[in-house]
Amino acid sequence: MKRTLLTILPLVFALGSVFAGERIPGLIGSEKVIARSPDPAGIYLYTPAIAAGFDGRIVAAIDYGGPGTSALDGPKSDIGDYASGNQVRVLLSDDKGRTWRDSGARLPMMHEILFKAGGRLYMIGHSGRLLISCSEDNGVSWSEPSVLREDGRWHQSCGAVDIHKGTVSLVYEKWISEGHAWPGVGPVLMQADENSDLCNPDNWRFSGMYNPDPDMAACAPMGIPAVPEGTTESAGILETSVVRVYEPGNPFYDPEDRSVVLLMRSAAGYRDLGVMLKGVRKEDGSLSIEKLRLNGREIFFMPIPGGRLKFHICHDPVTGLYWMVHSQITGNMSERRRLALSWSADLLNWTPAGLIAVGPADNASRHYATCMIDGDNLYVVSRSGDLEAKNAHDNNLTTFHVVKNFRRFAK
């Protein structure tokens, strides 16, 4: 472990300086406000999700949280960012995002992920317990959430989902223990047949939880993590995206088609440092999360632009490239106002494509974004704020961005 990490640390810090210092003139994305908090001081617009519906529809979901959610009509989650719970709302667009309407759906969950499978739309989230809901009318109405797991407490944000050869693969995270300092969670790989009833817990397979604590402890002598002592924050990993490697020349390519790559943010004190693991389906059908190997050695920490905060990855089947929306952190580790786009051919080397959006002040964020590809355009939904936002974390807006002809930025 130590030899492996020492070999990549110079690369980590070199890339960190490149990503943080990049100054690309002009913004590459348009911006539209699609949701606004009725109470910026007490109701915050958190995790945004986006997915392609049917017949050209775009479906977006927004996680409302904060101490003021008790004033919202409709059900709320049992466990939320505050005691009053969270509520997910769903927006629909039938004109490529030019206009949006509220579906009227109100779901008692948080940290939602949207995806399309087997002729339905699904939303997976949690209320402490792991929940899932489906829509059979293209996102208008949603089923009463079904409980997939009720052991322990769950967590996520909107991570990327892989659907390949009829199998849905995604990651949710489980708390290591209630007494663990934040972020005390570990990833759990989930898989199911996309044509099965995904609201039936019997149709899902789960790995065990991967506990990152031993990896963090092994790296401590080398200055990773760099978390100040005496704080309530610990080092950890969270908010995982699941991606598949399709190119045989990639060192992570699996010719047996039984593994996916897991990329996640790292709360380790460095702005462009993330973690990479792999999810594996074994011959007996069971699932596990394991270390990746690169040049014969196990890896854990890897350079990921903006890896200090949540990011989201889309694979483009046209070019074979991976596109990632992420925060561009220029100094302050808590900076969340610059939303950037980067691309990669191998998940190891990332090239900046440009800035999608920049908030007008430190409290006016553009971050925690989710993206999807539609033809020649990249659609992005962002957790955002204006000058009325409480702070950089507790936002009062959700914004929709379009990067037109996005593939030109890889030429």
Side-chain angles (χ1 to χ4, degrees), residues 105-396:
R106 304 289 186 265
L107 288 92
M109 61 170 68
M110 61 189 298
H111 295 161
E112 78 286 354
I113 295 175
L114 282 174
F115 62 95
K116 180 171 63 175
R120 295 175 168 181
L121 286 165
Y122 286 95
M123 184 189 303
I124 186 166
H126 77 88
S127 179
R129 302 165 295 163
L130 185 62
L131 305 175
I132 191 168
S133 175
C134 77
S135 173
E136 299 189 68
D137 57 7
N138 211 6
V140 176
S141 61
W142 293 79
S143 65
E144 183 74 17
S146 301
V147 178
L148 293 182
R149 293 275 293 268
E150 53 187 345
D151 54 322
R153 182 174 172 180
W154 294 79
H155 177 270
Q156 239 291 23
S157 187
C158 186
V161 177
D162 175 68
I163 302 179
H164 180 67
K165 294 184 178 178
T167 297
V168 178
S169 301
L170 60 91
V171 161
Y172 248 76
E173 297 142 3
K174 194 174 180 182
W175 282 62
I176 297 170
S177 68
E178 290 287 348
H180 197 296
W182 176 251
V185 298
V188 176
L189 178 65
M190 305 167 51
Q191 287 188 346
D193 180 343
E194 71 165 316
N195 293 309
S196 64
D197 178 6
L198 301 186
C199 291
N200 183 343
D202 294 336
N203 291 328
W204 287 91
R205 301 180 300 276
F206 296 84
S207 74
M209 182 198 70
Y210 187 95
N211 186 344
D213 285 355
D215 299 299
M216 298 292 178
C219 300
M222 291 169 287
I224 299 178
V227 178
E229 294 184 5
T231 68
T232 58
E233 182 177 297
S234 69
I237 60 178
L238 65 162
E239 298 169 350
T240 306
S241 279
V242 179
V243 297
R244 184 170 298 275
V245 172
Y246 293 92
E247 299 297 327
N250 189 296
F252 304 139
Y253 176 72
D254 177 7
E256 297 181 353
D257 226 12
R258 292 195 288 110
S259 65
V260 289
V261 178
L262 313 180
L263 297 95
M264 59 212 74
R265 64 175 283 204
S266 166
Y270 297 98
R271 59 195 176 195
D272 295 308
L273 186 63
V275 165
M276 293 177 66
L277 296 166
K278 70 175 177 178
V280 179
R281 184 186 73 253
K282 298 182 178 180
E283 291 184 1
D284 63 1
S286 63
L287 304 178
S288 67
I289 295 178
E290 304 171 3
K291 295 275 182 57
L292 284 164
R293 298 186 71 85
L294 185 62
N295 298 325
R297 297 174 177 175
E298 289 184 339
I299 62 172
F300 185 69
F301 286 112
M302 289 296 289
I304 297 176
R308 173 69 174 83
L309 295 172
K310 184 258 187 188
F311 51 83
H312 191 267
I313 299 174
C314 288
H315 176 261
D316 177 21
V318 174
T319 61
L321 299 177
Y322 299 92
W323 293 84
M324 177 165 62
V325 288
H326 61 90
S327 291
Q328 185 191 62
I329 306 170
T330 61
N332 181 350
M333 288 296 180
S334 299
E335 182 181 358
R336 295 167 179 254
R337 62 185 290 227
R338 301 167 68 87
L339 181 62
L341 177 68
S342 294
W343 60 271
S344 173
D346 58 9
L347 297 175
L348 294 170
N349 302 283
W350 293 92
T351 299
L355 285 172
I356 298 172
V358 178
D362 287 343
N363 66 312
S365 300
R366 301 291 186 274
H367 67 132
Y368 264 65
T370 303
C371 61
M372 62 166 276
I373 294 171
D374 180 28
D376 293 328
N377 298 329
L378 185 77
Y379 298 153
V380 180
V381 284
S382 170
R383 212 169 108 181
S384 299
D386 58 20
L387 298 181
E388 294 185 353
K390 179 183 175 184
N391 55 46
H393 182 275
D394 298 329
N395 311 132
N396 65 326

